Amino acid sequence: MAITPVRTLVAQAKSEITTLPADAVQQAVAAGTALMVDIRDIRELEREGRIPGAFHAPRGMLEFWVDPESPYHKPALGEGRLLVLFCASAWRSALAAKTLQDMGVENVAELDGGFKGWDEGGHPVER
């Protein structure tokens, strides 16, 4: 049996989620209505840097940290702000945003272009 290529899964997810441009995300964060959630691996953060103020939630723990009934729940992810997920280039974040939507999270989006797009757009990065 052939597997569904990840590129197809990402395209399907992107058709069902909200993708926001970096400028809009930066404005929402400044207004206090959004929280940027970095789902990259810790090694990626150490290698490429971090977006100031972003909450780090490794992809492997995201669902557990979002679920208020989980013993691993992180209150910052349940404060009602828009959760703007990002990874390196917006593939994992698309899949993660779709998964959170499937869980019933209504206030979730992804950052267009991921960390790479943010950085290349001249937005702040801590190295």
Side-chain angles (χ1 to χ4, degrees), residues 49-104:
R50 301 172 182 249
I51 295 176
F55 184 89
H56 181 235
R59 176 67 190 99
M61 291 302 295
L62 184 62
E63 294 86 349
F64 299 97
W65 287 13
V66 167
D67 180 359
E69 295 182 21
S70 166
Y72 302 104
H73 176 67
K74 300 292 183 188
L77 299 175
E79 295 174 345
R81 292 182 281 178
L82 174 66
L83 303 177
V84 182
L85 309 181
F86 68 93
C87 61
S89 60
W91 280 40
R92 288 171 288 173
S93 58
L95 296 174
K98 175 67 170 94
T99 298
L100 293 188
Q101 278 185 192
D102 291 347
M103 289 176 67

Side-chain angles (χ1 to χ4, degrees), residues 44-55:
E44 292 174 277
L45 276 70
E46 292 169 355
R47 188 174 55 241
E48 281 105 33
R50 301 172 182 249
I51 295 176
F55 184 89

Side-chain angles (χ1 to χ4, degrees), residues 105-121:
V105 177
E106 296 176 359
N107 57 339
V108 64
E110 69 156 350
L111 173 63
D112 189 26
F115 180 83
K116 182 179 179 184
W118 177 272
D119 190 23
E120 289 175 354

